[in-house]
Amino acid sequence: MNILVLGSGGREHAISWALAKSPQCDNLYVAPGNGGTSAIATNVAGLSAESGQDVLAFAQEHAIEMVVIGPEAPLVAGVADVLREAGIAVFGPNAQGAQLEGSKTYSKRFMEANNIPTARYKSFTDADEARAFCEELGAPLVVKADGLAAGKGVIVADTLEVALEAVDSCFSGSFGEAGQTVVVEEMLTGPECSLLAFVSNGKAFCMAPAQDHKRAFDGDLGPNTGGMGVYSPVPIVTKEEMATMYDVMETAAAATAKDPFTFDYRGCLYGGFMLTPDGPQVLEFNARFGDPETQVVLPRLQGDLVDIMYAVAQGRPEDIKLSWSDKWAVSVVLASEGYPGSYEKGKVILGVSEAEALDDVIVFHAGTAVNEDGELITAGGRVLNVVALGDTFEQAREQAYRACDLINFEGKQFRTDIGKKALQGRSAWE
Ligand code: AMP
Ligand code: GLY
């Protein structure tokens, strides 16, 4: 089978790596891809991933039988709709389904209509009304730009002043069109947990849970990032919490296939949960695989990802069977100095093959490229995801950090405490 993956991050490297392992995978293309995908697939430069017509033209020219859409923007832009219309199997929901991520108001209404536990909220298109609701709720509270804002549109406000500033900033255009509608909600507390599920024809098949580390620096300090490290499974989650999260994902999947929200959801549904004292509540749904969650979830998946994704894409949930390795997976992100602020690119990266030579270590590339001299260089804020598997959580952590020490580039920045809190147990969050 010829397969096209859209995207360029560590998530897409991990997806491509898992697809490339399948004997069914003939030609694998990644558009645009990165320095890591170029070693296992053909990178396609210059293809506009958000244009359904461009992707369709490429797919027809290269006899592509399945397109896997990594990031949210092409999903929201309706690329899956165009491809399906032309008879090509697609892993990824249609534009309507992608609104679960593309509009926080839509997503909240979906949750409300299906009794999915989530923070109390209201949605506004008028700044004065939003401000009045902030005053009514009182701090702490959370202000969210409704649309896609590259992970930057959520402001957790400890004081009313910060919340009011966030409302003004949204309506004054800081997030463009995405901020012209604003969701204000109560602040929840507790550890976070991501649960991804394959969803097809109203059925959910949950993957293994994972926990991301969003802050830039050790001790959960510093600005929010796209994720600095992650592990799977998540030892601090109780059986009861896990059961509730499964139930939520199944309820959400079933709701995609019935009134009043019917849409064609064949792809990955990402549930972002907070484990509150009142039980797990949904912070957000995403219409795609998580990044960096995918980088620890897929290495633990046993079986053939081509089979699974093709069954999802063709709407054959009865053919989806998942099983998981007992190993623990820990991933540490190596980032460029200055990330998530501004950073330099083009630094030569050394030591990746030495790291990969360690037992049970995989290095997924995020922001890398290969220069004219054939050297691997940095090309983004998050550069590499160093993943290690281990029989115990500690072993996986130690091996991941051993591998991180072997890799060098100027300005290498990483957190040294990925997984540390989880080792201390649930009390570390109190
Ligand atoms: P979202 O894009 O909605 O998941 O928000 C991004 C991050 O903001 C989440 O992963 C949480 O860390 C935080 N967050 C979002 N909503 C809330 C909330 N209601 N209470 C506390 N933190 C939140
Ligand atoms: N790990 C957060 C996300 O993928 O949105």
Side-chain angles (χ1 to χ4, degrees):
M1 185 188 297
N2 295 337
I3 303 173
L4 169 65
V5 175
L6 300 182
S8 65
R11 165 182 57 207
E12 285 77 21
H13 188 193
I15 291 171
S16 304
W17 167 87
L19 292 171
K21 283 197 300 185
S22 163
Q24 299 178 75
C25 183
D26 296 320
N27 294 307
L28 180 63
Y29 299 90
V30 189
N34 61 32
T37 58
S38 68
I40 55 169
T42 304
N43 280 357
V44 184
L47 177 63
S48 167
E50 285 164 46
S51 158
Q53 291 307 331
D54 286 9
V55 176
L56 176 61
F58 180 90
Q60 287 173 334
E61 204 173 309
H62 294 82
I64 300 293
E65 290 166 80
M66 178 164 67
V67 177
V68 178
I69 304 180
E72 58 279 16
L75 293 167
V76 171
V79 171
D81 308 55
V82 174
L83 294 168
R84 280 204 186 105
E85 185 101 338
I88 294 173
V90 186
F91 185 93
N94 68 1
Q96 190 63 41
Q99 284 302 302
L100 286 182
E101 173 163 8
S103 163
K104 295 201 185 285
T105 304
Y106 185 82
S107 195
K108 282 289 204 180
R109 290 196 178 129
F110 174 85
M111 291 185 231
E112 227 171 15
N114 292 291
N115 293 318
I116 290 173
T118 187
R120 275 194 308 142
Y121 83 104
K122 270 192 183 168
S123 172
F124 300 94
T125 51
D126 178 89
D128 288 336
E129 287 176 22
R131 274 195 290 264
F133 185 63
C134 288
E135 277 162 18
E136 187 190 320
L137 262 189
L141 46 79
V142 184
V143 176
K144 301 181 174 186
D146 183 74
L148 294 184
K152 300 194 177 80
V154 174
I155 299 99
V156 180
D158 288 327
T159 64
L160 186 59
E161 200 185 346
V162 172
L164 296 177
E165 262 170 39
V167 169
D168 289 342
S169 152
C170 285
F171 283 110
S172 65
S174 294
F175 303 107
E177 200 46 41
Q180 295 310 301
T181 300
V182 165
V183 168
V184 177
E185 66 182 37
E186 63 178 343
M187 193 188 82
L188 302 173
T189 55
E192 289 183 45
C193 181
S194 310
L195 186 60
L196 315 185
F198 292 103
V199 171
S200 189
N201 280 5
K203 294 270 183 292
F205 299 82
C206 289
M207 299 184 223
Q211 192 176 52
D212 192 1
H213 295 60
K214 290 201 164 72
R215 299 298 195 99
F217 309 127
D218 282 2
D220 290 330
L221 298 173
N224 263 322
T225 69
M228 293 298 289
V230 60
Y231 52 82
S232 173
V234 185
I236 54 143
V237 181
T238 65
K239 276 206 180 84
E240 291 75 23
E241 286 169 332
M242 211 56 235
T244 305
M245 290 192 286
Y246 279 146
D247 194 45
V248 165
M249 298 309 286
E250 281 158 18
T251 302
T256 66
K258 62 171 204 233
D259 285 344
F261 282 93
T262 322
F263 38 69
D264 188 352
Y265 208 106
R266 288 181 259 168
C268 179
L269 180 65
Y270 169 124
F273 289 88
M274 190 162 259
L275 309 175
T276 79
D278 300 325
Q281 303 214 28
V282 175
L283 295 176
E284 62 170 340
F285 281 126
N286 292 325
R288 48 161 178 89
F289 274 95
D291 189 344
E293 287 88 342
T294 309
Q295 291 88 306
V296 287
V297 169
L298 289 186
R300 300 188 55 236
L301 176 66
Q302 292 176 325
D304 187 320
L305 188 64
V306 172
D307 272 343
I308 297 167
M309 284 189 159
Y310 203 44
V312 170
Q314 292 196 315
R316 291 183 281 109
E318 62 282 5
D319 293 335
I320 301 169
K321 306 236 161 14
L322 303 183
S323 65
W324 299 96
S325 136
D326 288 334
K327 295 227 178 189
W328 294 79
V330 174
S331 173
V332 179
V333 170
L334 302 182
S336 298
E337 185 174 7
Y339 174 78
S342 59
Y343 52 83
E344 290 177 17
K345 296 180 185 175
K347 310 290 181 195
V348 174
I349 306 168
L350 298 173
V352 171
S353 35
E354 287 79 356
E356 284 175 322
L358 294 181
D359 284 342
D360 287 330
V361 169
I362 315 164
V363 180
F364 291 126
H365 296 220
T368 72
V370 179
N371 69 12
E372 285 159 8
D373 300 326
E375 294 167 314
L376 187 69
I377 54 169
T378 64
R382 287 187 295 171
V383 178
L384 296 167
N385 299 265
V386 178
V387 181
L389 297 164
D391 291 330
T392 65
F393 193 24
E394 272 125 322
Q395 267 179 21
R397 278 192 83 223
E398 279 164 20
Q399 191 72 335
Y401 279 111
R402 215 171 278 135
C404 287
D405 286 340
L406 293 174
I407 299 175
N408 282 302
F409 54 88
E410 196 188 314
K412 175 177 91 167
Q413 165 193 321
F414 63 103
R415 278 183 62 162
T416 64
D417 64 345
I418 301 304
K420 191 171 162 195
K421 245 170 137 173
L423 276 178
Q424 292 162 356
R426 192 69 175 249
S427 58
W429 273 269
E430 276 154 17

